[in-house]
Structures are given as C-alpha cells and as structure tokens.
C-alpha cells in the first residue's frame, strides 16, 4: 500500500538533495515506490511565518508518515522543528534520513548533521524520551535508500498504527 508522506528538510541548503530523495519514485510506479508525495515546496519560502505554518498543516493533512531529510544544518531550522512537533502531535509515523552523502547541484557532498529528532522529547512513564530514540534514522547512500525508502515509510506508518 502506498503511503502519503511529508518531507521535512532545510530548503535553501538541501533542496537539490531532497529532490533526489523525493523524486526517487519517478523511475518506478508510485505503488512500488511505496509513497506518494505531492508537496509544492518550491513556493513555500515566499510566504510569511503564519502562511508557512498553515501550509505545513495543510501538507500534513492526509499523510501517514513524515520523513525528515537530515543535512548539515537541518537541526537548526525553525520550520523543521515545527514540522517534527506537528507531525508527532498528529500521530504520523516518522523517520530520519541522512542525505549528506548525496551530491548537490555542484557535485559536492556535505558534512553529516545532527539528527533534529534528538532535539525533541516526549514524557513516558515520567521520563523524557527523545524522539530520536523512538523513530529510526537511515543513511540514504549507505543504507540503499533508493531501493528501501518505500519499506522505511511503510514500517514507520505501521509503528504509528496508520
């Protein structure tokens, strides 16, 4: 079953890398890719804060999984944090994918960034549990994301009961 996924990433720095991940289904049919992605992310950076937050909420509607694409500076981005918080509160399954080993438009890779899921926590049995302890992370290049993304998304959705 194909899932509808929301992709969270650092737009200015990682749009090229994110595009490679998000468009990996193009050479497959969407069903075998394992996810649908229909976000119009090119227009987002032109909006006000309130409009961006509204857009994020609209994009999350109908999704079952949020995929956090982790680049060198992703964990420092305001809206990535908002997307993670909102996704968790909506009950979406989540996963992180390190994308620093993907080449950008200039053919260069980047340094590995901090997992933004490690900046958020929930209370469980009176203890703080980091989201990075709940949701898995993968490396797009080293873990064969091109062939496994659909499975990762499906697993995240099932763990969330979606």
């Amino acid at each position: 079953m194909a899932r509808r996924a929301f992709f969270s990433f650092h737009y200015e720095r990682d749009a090229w890398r994110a595009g490679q991940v998000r468009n990996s289904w193009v050479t497959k049919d969407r069903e075998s890719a394992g996810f649908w992605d229909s976000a119009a992310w090119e227009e987002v950076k032109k909006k006000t804060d309130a409009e961006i937050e509204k857009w994020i909420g609209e994009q999350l509607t109908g999704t079952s999984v949020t995929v956090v694409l982790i680049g060198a500076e992703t964990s420092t981005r305001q809206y990535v944090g908002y997307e993670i918080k909102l996704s968790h509160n909506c009950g979406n399954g989540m996963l992180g994918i390190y994308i620093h080993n993907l080449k950008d438009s200039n053919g260069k890779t980047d340094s590995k960034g901090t997992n933004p899921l490690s900046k958020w926590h929930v209370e469980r049995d009176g203890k703080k549990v980091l989201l990075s302890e709940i949701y898995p992370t993968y490396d797009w290049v080293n873990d064969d994301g091109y062939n496994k993304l659909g499975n990762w998304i499906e697993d995240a959705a099932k763990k969330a009961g979606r």
Side-chain angles (χ1 to χ4, degrees), residues 127-144:
K127 296 180 182 176
K128 291 181 180 180
V129 179
L130 296 174
L131 295 184
S132 60
E133 296 174 39
I134 299 170
Y135 301 115
T137 56
Y138 306 94
D139 183 290
W140 180 261
V141 173
N142 296 330
D143 294 327
D144 191 22

Side-chain angles (χ1 to χ4, degrees), residues 3-146:
R3 303 288 182 167
R4 196 158 164 259
F6 177 83
F7 288 81
S8 176
F9 58 96
H10 180 328
Y11 182 83
E12 290 85 9
R13 186 172 183 119
D14 292 322
W16 187 270
R17 290 180 184 92
Q20 292 174 65
V21 173
R22 294 174 70 229
N23 292 323
S24 64
W25 65 268
V26 171
T27 60
K28 310 170 188 175
D29 66 57
R30 287 183 185 228
E31 187 70 26
S32 66
F35 67 96
W36 293 80
D37 174 34
S38 59
W41 48 275
E42 292 85 359
E43 294 297 315
V44 173
K45 71 177 192 172
K46 301 174 187 175
K47 300 179 183 280
T48 66
D49 287 347
E51 290 172 325
I52 291 171
E53 289 180 1
K54 181 179 179 217
W55 179 87
I56 291 168
E58 290 168 353
Q59 293 301 306
L60 282 169
T61 300
T63 64
S64 54
V65 174
T66 296
V67 180
V68 181
L69 301 177
I70 308 168
E73 297 177 0
T74 307
S75 68
T76 66
R77 306 307 293 174
Q78 170 188 350
Y79 294 113
V80 169
Y82 180 78
E83 292 160 354
I84 289 169
K85 179 181 173 185
L86 193 57
S87 295
H88 179 78
N89 290 344
C90 291
N92 269 18
M94 281 197 276
L95 65 128
I97 301 176
Y98 289 98
I99 58 171
H100 64 287
N101 285 321
L102 281 168
K103 293 180 181 176
D104 65 12
S105 59
N106 297 314
K108 296 183 179 179
T109 58
D110 207 352
S111 58
K112 185 175 182 177
T114 301
N115 182 352
L117 296 169
S118 67
K119 297 179 87 174
W120 295 91
H121 71 272
V122 293
E123 296 283 331
R124 288 196 174 163
D125 300 322
K127 296 180 182 176
K128 291 181 180 180
V129 179
L130 296 174
L131 295 184
S132 60
E133 296 174 39
I134 299 170
Y135 301 115
T137 56
Y138 306 94
D139 183 290
W140 180 261
V141 173
N142 296 330
D143 294 327
D144 191 22
Y146 178 79

